[in-house]
Amino acid sequence: MNSKYKFLISNTGLFFISTFSSKFLVFLLMPICTAVLSPGEFNAADLMTQTANLLIPLVSLGIPNSIIRFGLDNKYSKRGVFTVAALSYGIGFLIFLACYPIIVKITFISQYVRYLYLYLLCSCLRTLVQQFIRAKTYTKLYAVDGIMATVNTLILVYVFLIKMNLGAMGYIMATIGADFISFLFLSIVSGCWRYFNISSATSELAKEMLGYCLPLIPTGIFWWITNVSDRYLVTAMVSGAVGGLYAISYKIPSIVNIFGTVFTEAWQISAVKEGQEKHPELFFKNVFRAYQAIVFISGAGLILICKPLISIMVDKSYYDSWRFIPVLIIATIFSCLSGFMSSIYMVQKNGRANLITMMAGAISNIAMNLLLIPKCGAQGAAIATFISYLLVFILRALGTKKFINIDISPLFMTVNVALMCALSYVMVIENKFWVLISIIITIIIFAYNIMPLINVVMPMIRKFTVKNK
């Protein structure tokens, strides 16, 4: 097996251990949270978390993007990269702290402001250390941390949510505590604090790192708008209870997102390393073909089983949330594929293109939400999210051609989208033979995608077999 493929697969496996354990936590907690919290309370906790996620790019000054990009590049000092990143986090949080008198007056978060600050501080500290150990390619340590964070969160949820009965804030406090413990663990084991050296943080390096990451702050905000604004709009335009159902419906599509996140974390390392080589097109093309086949197959499988899956995972009062899942799964697929395309911009240090494409997605998302929610309710929000991510993917697929042309095969993609939409439609309308028709369409999607996947994977296996004879 070619060393670059072996490196990617090895990293993907280790990141899978870390990310799957933490993301799988969502599914472990769903039966607990939906049994203890009402849809309205769950919606409040979800909105609090999503508000924090909106603020993180601002508080961090977008520096996590620079840690991984510059930390992987041997041209730059690791001490310098870590020091600039740590100072950027500190400056960003102090600026946010100075805004406290203004933020505390925002009605819907005023009672949670202290929790919000703690959430942001602990999340940023953990991200700083996590990104740096990724840049150092300490993937085994990253995997161990993911498992420990999952266990810690479960313990703290039991303490705050079950034993102390603190409601929505118990869930938030558990997340805060787990992030802080993770930060301490990674800092001590990796010894990353030894890399903090003011003299290494040159003005040239700081200018280059901030020049790359600052344009990505609005990109992160636009991503948040595309991914999360529909939850606020459903709550405002329909009801908090429906907003709670809609928030729950995102949990099943996040299974696809788990794979996407795992792969992206491993792929970014390979993309930076291989993207600097001559003629990386074949490597990027092969990986993309295998990746898209996997996300379409897994997405179709999840749509097929989403009804029984949701009935097992949540309290019966949340069961109707399954109706939004099929469309959101398709949206998540294109979110994953868009993330792959953004890695090409990352290699080229072209944050502006990422910004423009994500801005287009965010604007279309808001417009489609305002148009479709009054007509179709929460289902309209799901459709708007799908259209927005499809737009972002198309723009990035076209825009990256001038850097690395990986040939996405528009016909292959169109057939996949048509089949996925047909499967979702049959599932949602529940006609007389919907079970049989859904199974047939899923089998067709599997058959249609399995050969491209085999065509990419088999040559790697043959090379590995020949090498080890």
Side-chain angles (χ1 to χ4, degrees), residues 9-159:
I9 292 170
S10 173
N11 282 340
T12 301
L14 288 168
F15 284 128
F16 177 82
I17 294 171
S18 171
T19 304
F20 180 78
S21 59
S22 60
K23 298 296 182 181
F24 187 65
L25 175 65
V26 173
F27 305 103
L28 293 175
L29 293 178
M30 280 177 67
I32 300 172
C33 292
T34 56
V36 175
L37 304 174
S38 69
E41 287 175 320
F42 186 90
N43 189 48
D46 183 69
L47 292 181
M48 160 71 182
T49 303
Q50 298 305 334
T51 300
N53 290 338
L54 168 64
L55 293 169
I56 284 172
L58 295 171
V59 175
S60 67
L61 302 181
I63 204 68
N65 298 291
S66 284
I67 298 174
I68 188 69
R69 178 60 186 85
F70 288 80
L72 285 168
D73 197 324
N74 292 328
K75 293 190 299 183
Y76 302 96
S77 160
K78 295 287 192 295
R79 291 182 184 277
V81 169
F82 182 80
T83 305
V84 170
L87 291 173
S88 299
Y89 268 112
I91 293 169
F93 192 80
L94 287 174
I95 293 172
F96 184 60
L97 199 59
C99 297
Y100 181 87
I102 299 171
I103 294 172
V104 78
K105 293 180 181 179
I106 301 174
T107 305
F108 75 96
I109 61 169
S110 59
Q111 58 182 317
Y112 306 132
V113 169
R114 292 181 182 178
Y115 294 104
L116 179 64
Y117 271 87
L118 276 174
Y119 187 103
L120 288 167
L121 176 61
C122 293
S123 179
C124 287
L125 287 173
R126 185 188 183 199
T127 303
L128 167 64
V129 183
Q130 273 190 320
Q131 291 293 85
F132 189 68
I133 65 171
R134 279 183 65 203
K136 292 281 288 181
T137 64
Y138 293 164
T139 48
K140 291 180 181 178
L141 177 59
Y142 190 87
V144 171
D145 173 67
I147 296 170
M148 288 187 60
T150 301
V151 174
N152 291 334
T153 304
L154 284 171
I155 293 171
L156 293 173
V157 164
Y158 175 77
V159 172

Side-chain angles (χ1 to χ4, degrees), residues 156-230:
L156 293 173
V157 164
Y158 175 77
V159 172
F160 292 129
L161 197 60
I162 307 300
K163 297 295 289 184
M164 298 179 67
N165 195 27
L166 295 178
M169 285 305 99
Y171 176 78
I172 299 299
M173 289 173 65
T175 305
I176 292 170
D179 279 348
F180 185 68
I181 293 170
S182 176
F183 161 70
L184 291 178
F185 168 73
L186 290 175
S187 298
I188 293 169
V189 175
S190 70
C192 61
W193 52 273
R194 296 190 186 95
Y195 285 84
F196 187 84
N197 186 329
I198 295 293
S199 62
S200 299
T202 64
S203 58
E204 292 80 6
L205 177 59
K207 183 178 179 180
E208 194 169 353
M209 287 179 66
L210 290 171
Y212 170 72
C213 70
L214 286 177
L216 296 177
I217 294 177
T219 304
I221 294 172
F222 288 133
W223 176 90
W224 180 92
I225 291 172
T226 305
N227 200 49
V228 180
S229 63
D230 50 354

Side-chain angles (χ1 to χ4, degrees), residues 357-424:
T357 53
M358 206 66 243
M359 180 172 64
I363 293 171
S364 69
N365 183 258
I366 294 292
M368 296 301 293
N369 271 316
L370 294 175
L371 176 66
L372 294 175
I373 291 177
K375 296 180 179 180
C376 309
Q379 194 66 265
I383 295 170
T385 302
F386 161 52
I387 293 172
S388 300
Y389 275 121
L390 177 61
L391 174 63
V392 173
F393 171 73
I394 291 171
L395 292 175
R396 287 181 176 176
L398 295 172
T400 54
K401 279 188 173 184
K402 62 184 177 182
F403 303 117
I404 301 175
N405 186 3
I406 60 175
D407 183 20
I408 65 167
S409 184
L411 178 60
F412 182 82
M413 188 73 67
T414 301
V415 173
N416 261 322
V417 174
L419 288 169
M420 294 291 287
C421 289
L423 176 59
S424 299

